Structures are given as C-alpha cells and as structure tokens.
Amino acid sequence: MEQRGVFGAACVYYELACCLCNNGRWQEALLEVEKLKKLPRTKPLGVTFTGMIISSMNGGHIRDCISIFEHFKDRCAVDIGIVNTMLNVYGKNDMFSKAKELFEETKRIKSGSNDRLNGFCSSLNPDGFTYRTMLEASASALQWEYFEYVYREMALSGYLLDQSKAASLLIKASRAGKWYLLEHAFDTTLEAGEIPHLSVFNELICQSIIQRNYGQVVIIVKAMAYAPFQVNETQWTALFERNRDKISRESLEELLQTLKNSDLPMEATVSNLSRSLFFLCRYENWEDISSQVDLQANGKSTTFVGINDRRGNADSEMFGFTNSESDGGKEAKLFTSLEELDLDMMASDESDDDLDDKCSDHTEYGNLDIGEVELNDPTGIVIGTRVSNLPSADEILESWKQSRKRDGIFFPFQFGRK
C-alpha cells in the first residue's frame, strides 16, 4: 500500500501495531509506531503503547509487555493509564514484587517535587483503578498487610471501593483477619446512600457471630430488613452450614435468644433467619444438619435474581435467590412475633418436608422498592447512614491519617512479612 504512495490514517497503524504485539512481534510493531508518530492523531502516544501492552498480554506474551513498557518509559513521560495497565499485567501473572515496586514509585512521584523522575511525570496521580488493581494483586499474592496499606491509602485519597466489582476482595481480606476493613467499607457504603452487597452483609454477620457480638448482628439484620432483596430460610441455613468450622451450635443458640429479646422489624429476611436458627438448633451436630440441608434442596427449583439488577453478572455469593416448591409454591407466612414462631416450630409434629413447605418463602427481587423505604423508621435504622456502633468511617479515616503521619507516608507497615 505504501509502495503505491497510499498511507493510512493513524488508527490503521495503531491496529496493525496491536496485531503484531498480539502475535509476539512487538519490535516490528515499533516500526508502525514510528510511522504513526508522523501522522496527525487525536490521542496521546501513551494510549498507543497501552494498547500494545494489552494486546501482548492477551496474546500471552508477558515479557513483551515489560519490554514495551521499558521502551516507552525511556522515551516518554509515563501517565497513569499505562501504569494501571502494567499493574494489571503484574497482578495477573504472579509478579507481586514488580507491581508493588511500580505502585510505590508512583506514590513517590505524587508526593515528590521533581518535574520528571525515571520517566514518570510529576503530575502522576493514582486513581480508583490504580488502587483496586493493586488490591487485587495483593490479594492474589496473599499479601494481606500490604492489602491493608493500599486500602488505607485509597480511603485517605478519597476513593471508594466499588463493591459490585471488589466485594470478593474485601471478603477474602476479612477471612484473613482484616474484617475491620470490611466494616469500614460497609459503613462508607451506607453513608454514601448505597446498599452493600448481600455477600458483605453475610460476611459481617458471620464475623460478628464468631466474635459473639450478637448485638452487632442485630444491627446488621435490621439494615438487611429494608434492603431491596430478601434472604430465605434455605439461604440462611446454607450460610451457617458453610461456616460450621467457625460457628458453633452454642453460638447459634445464643444468637437466637438475642433475636428473641430484640425489637426487630418483621420482614421476610428477619423471619427467615429466625426459622433457620430454630431449624439448626434442633440438631446435636453439623452432620445431621448437612443431610437435612441436602434434603431441603431436593424437589425445589432455584431461581437466581441479581441484587442490583437482573443481569446475573456477579458470582453466586452476590445474588439473592428464591425457592419455589415443585407444585407451584406458596407465599411465606410472616409471624407476628418471634414467640409465635417459637411455639409454632416447637409444637409442630409435621415431618421435615411438611415443615419446610410451611416455612418456605417465595420472594422476588423488586418486592421492596428502595425508594419506598421510610428513612426514619421506628426501629431507628436509617438507610444511607452508618448502622454500626463502631467509630464512623470519618473517625476511622482520621485515625489512619494520624497513624500515617506517625509511621511515615509510604511505609507504615512491615511489608516484608509473609
């Protein structure tokens, strides 16, 4: 084409360069970039190199990604877009040390005074994607101390973690001992007027039960009662069964007693939790419970319904689901009090299948419009404000700021610990 005197637009050379990189021919792609540089273009050259790195990664040529980045860094000022891309490359390919090095260098540039350092421009500022990508890299490498450091830096910089994309990261961190980060994310989400994912509610409830903080469970359950999703009895039972290595039968009995003595809204989620606890406390060991959970699952159809939408693009822990009996199902009967539930469950001589028929509920997403929820309800729970009796998110942020000043800007933790 060029031999005939016909030259393409900049986008033609860009696409050709990306195709070459995808096939492991990044050095040949640089020749196309040189041609592109001579033509009018609407986007910075960094966008071209970012696309080349992504194409190399998609083609499985990880070393080429590093080579392209080093080539670009020696010739141009690095922007946050290409940094984020390289953090993603490192994080997804077990190169945590390189991701950490790049992230820390980016942080130093942000706080530095030099106009240009090692190819990085002085205006380089980490954004929300920077922090989330580094959190993913830390979680993948099981570097939970560094995960906490990155999360704190993110919060201090004013960024919120998108729970629709990163709730699983917080849950993994919680199970690794960083449950207080999940609590902070939970509070900030409510303070922003949003509803946390069901998986976040579930994890906080489990952690509170493990710590025997049943009052905290009551607070969380009250918030769940007015969320735009419902949790049925089978869901509750399965949650406790999955955590049977951490939650004892004694803890469930103590929680049930606390719920009976608490002023709770009689919404389906709350009633179903009580039913599940009654069901679990009838058995002496978890093996009996597991077999009954399997029996409950037989003969029912399970329909998954997304919490925030119906697209179904999240993992199973982030979905509400409804159970309907094979014969068509019946709507759940909400008891007027936990005492009535107690009498009904204990006095019943029906088989487990009949009892399950009676206790099953048929819920659908959208049954409760969040716009119709009264913000100041009689229980004292206000959707959009913090529901924890722990320090507020702002108070936690302030303590982190003081800790960062005391321990140093960049390395407040011993990152080398494993």
Side-chain angles (χ1 to χ4, degrees), residues 329-341:
K330 295 179 290 186
E331 290 188 359
K333 173 182 180 294
L334 291 181
F335 288 81
T336 56
S337 68
L338 286 175
E339 288 73 15
E340 181 183 344
L341 176 61

Side-chain angles (χ1 to χ4, degrees), residues 279-347:
F279 168 76
L280 295 171
C281 292
R282 293 164 58 196
Y283 296 92
E284 293 296 331
N285 56 66
W286 279 107
E287 286 70 20
D288 294 338
I289 295 172
S290 298
S291 62
Q292 290 300 319
V293 171
D294 292 338
L295 287 174
Q296 278 191 350
N298 293 332
K300 295 184 179 182
S301 62
T302 302
T303 304
F304 285 86
V305 182
I307 293 174
N308 290 324
D309 54 43
R310 294 178 178 269
R311 291 172 295 180
N313 58 351
D315 60 38
S316 60
E317 283 190 323
M318 298 182 189
F319 281 78
F321 60 86
T322 66
N323 278 352
S324 57
E325 304 293 341
S326 55
D327 63 359
K330 295 179 290 186
E331 290 188 359
K333 173 182 180 294
L334 291 181
F335 288 81
T336 56
S337 68
L338 286 175
E339 288 73 15
E340 181 183 344
L341 176 61
D342 193 357
L343 292 173
D344 185 272
M345 294 289 285
M346 297 307 178

Side-chain angles (χ1 to χ4, degrees), residues 11 148 171 218 232 260 301 304 308:
C11 61
E148 179 178 348
I171 291 171
V218 171
N232 62 33
K260 290 175 66 176
S301 62
F304 285 86
N308 290 324

Side-chain angles (χ1 to χ4, degrees), residues 400-413:
W400 287 354
K401 289 179 182 177
Q402 297 303 321
S403 175
R404 186 167 68 165
K405 289 179 181 178
R406 182 178 65 253
D407 298 327
I409 294 177
F410 298 109
F411 306 102
F413 303 98

